[in-house]
Amino acid sequence: MDEEVKVSITGIPYQVSVSARDHRWLADEPTDISGGDTGPNPGELLLSSLGSCTAITLTMYAQRKKWPLEGVEIDLRFNSAAKPDPKTTVIDYDIRFIGNLTDEQRARLMEISHSCPIHKVLTNPVIINAKED
């Protein structure tokens, strides 16, 4: 993963412009904390990254196996009540497989759901190097 994402904030409080390759989108905070609510907040973007990666990984796997997976729906959320300590983040997600799959296929897809690259990033140590440019 050598992708580069550019982020900038100017003018509108908490509204962030994000770009990657030829794509552009906004992130913002909800109005109850003085944002404009013009886009998902950073936590929602992180969850959407995990959910997107998981759905794509599952779809690719099922296609290679020629399994009748017609779709994947994933609901993700942070679970602050399940945090074992202040430094740990708990993410819960519910997966629904659409298609005429066997119980064995469904079980294998649940195993594969932990194989997407973003899941691996989030469940392994991460080093973030910041420098002033």
Side-chain angles (χ1 to χ4, degrees):
M1 280 195 281
D2 291 330
E3 297 89 358
E4 181 173 278
V5 173
K6 294 180 183 278
V7 175
S8 63
I9 185 168
T10 57
I12 300 173
Y14 307 126
Q15 185 187 73
V16 178
S17 297
V18 185
S19 65
R21 297 178 295 134
D22 293 329
H23 305 285
R24 294 185 182 12
W25 63 97
L26 297 175
D28 201 347
E29 291 291 351
T31 54
D32 62 338
I33 58 171
S34 301
D37 204 21
T38 59
N41 69 41
E44 292 165 335
L45 289 171
L46 185 132
L47 292 176
S48 69
S49 180
L50 175 60
S52 301
C53 184
T54 301
I56 290 167
T57 298
L58 291 168
T59 300
M60 287 177 166
Y61 184 85
Q63 286 175 346
R64 279 197 309 273
K65 294 289 190 176
K66 299 188 182 339
W67 289 354
L69 180 65
E70 297 170 14
V72 178
E73 296 176 352
I74 306 173
D75 297 329
L76 301 98
R77 67 204 147 285
F78 291 106
N79 185 344
S80 58
K83 291 175 69 139
D85 60 72
K87 292 186 175 185
T88 301
T89 299
V90 177
I91 296 173
D92 292 336
Y93 61 90
D94 303 315
I95 301 178
R96 285 175 299 289
F97 302 118
I98 301 165
N100 190 21
L101 299 162
T102 67
D103 290 342
E104 292 80 17
Q105 289 170 331
R106 289 173 182 279
R108 181 64 181 142
L109 287 172
M110 286 304 295
E111 291 173 12
I112 294 299
S113 73
H114 302 293
S115 299
C116 89
I118 298 300
H119 189 282
K120 290 177 182 178
V121 166
L122 292 173
T123 56
N124 286 293
V126 175
I127 297 170
I128 301 172
N129 298 314
K131 63 177 183 158
E132 185 176 358
D133 198 19

